[in-house]
Amino acid sequence: MYGDDATVRKILTESGDTWAVVGLSSNRQRAAYGVAQVLQRFGKRVVPVHPKAQTVHGEQGYASLADIPFDVDVVDVFVNSDLAGAVADEAVAKGAKAVWFQLGVVDEEAYARTRAAGMDMVMDRCPAIEIPRLA
């Protein structure tokens, strides 16, 4: 398992409330859309990151993490595993505190690089499932 309960709790309660959600678009059928709603309900600011840079859930979207003109605490990744490692590297470069790879997103090398950079990381879990357990 990549991300024990203590790390999950730390990311959800201590790492900060600004979450960049990579892969979030206005498509209501995608998992990212619903997960972002749950994060907002629990007080997180959700920043959409998608090539189309759409406004979603009332928040301005950006085409990439580098385009976000403010600090990001957590980068939540909803892209295929083969693309996720590059996103984790961008999160490190952005100065995020943590990276969260969604259910089904696994890249062991990215996990090792991110942890070596001193960041917390969780893989193959969903904050929309985990956050209600903390309440």
Side-chain angles (χ1 to χ4, degrees):
M1 171 144 330
Y2 296 95
D4 57 29
D5 286 342
T7 302
V8 168
R9 180 176 294 280
K10 180 179 178 189
I11 292 172
L12 291 172
T13 63
E14 299 173 28
S15 293
D17 291 333
T18 301
W19 285 52
V21 181
V22 179
L24 175 57
S25 72
S26 60
N27 183 345
R28 295 171 181 264
Q29 304 305 312
R30 305 290 298 184
Y33 190 89
V35 170
Q37 281 184 311
V38 171
L39 289 170
Q40 281 186 323
R41 275 200 309 270
F42 282 90
K44 307 300 182 190
R45 178 182 183 190
V46 172
V47 181
V49 179
H50 190 279
K52 294 180 181 176
Q54 299 170 319
T55 296
V56 183
H57 300 311
E59 289 285 348
Q60 168 65 46
Y62 297 90
S64 71
L65 288 173
D67 291 339
I68 300 173
F70 47 84
D71 291 339
V72 169
D73 299 312
V74 181
V75 176
D76 189 6
V77 182
F78 277 93
V79 299
N80 293 331
S81 295
D82 58 342
L83 302 174
V87 176
D89 295 339
E90 291 171 25
V92 171
K94 180 72 178 164
K97 297 174 187 158
V99 176
W100 191 300
F101 281 9
Q102 283 293 324
L103 289 172
V105 181
V106 176
D107 181 331
E108 294 178 8
E109 292 176 6
Y111 183 86
R113 287 193 310 272
T114 303
R115 298 290 294 139
M119 296 170 64
D120 289 318
M121 185 166 179
V122 170
M123 283 196 313
D124 196 26
R125 293 182 74 171
C126 179
I129 294 170
E130 303 297 334
I131 202 168
R133 295 186 330 147
L134 302 178

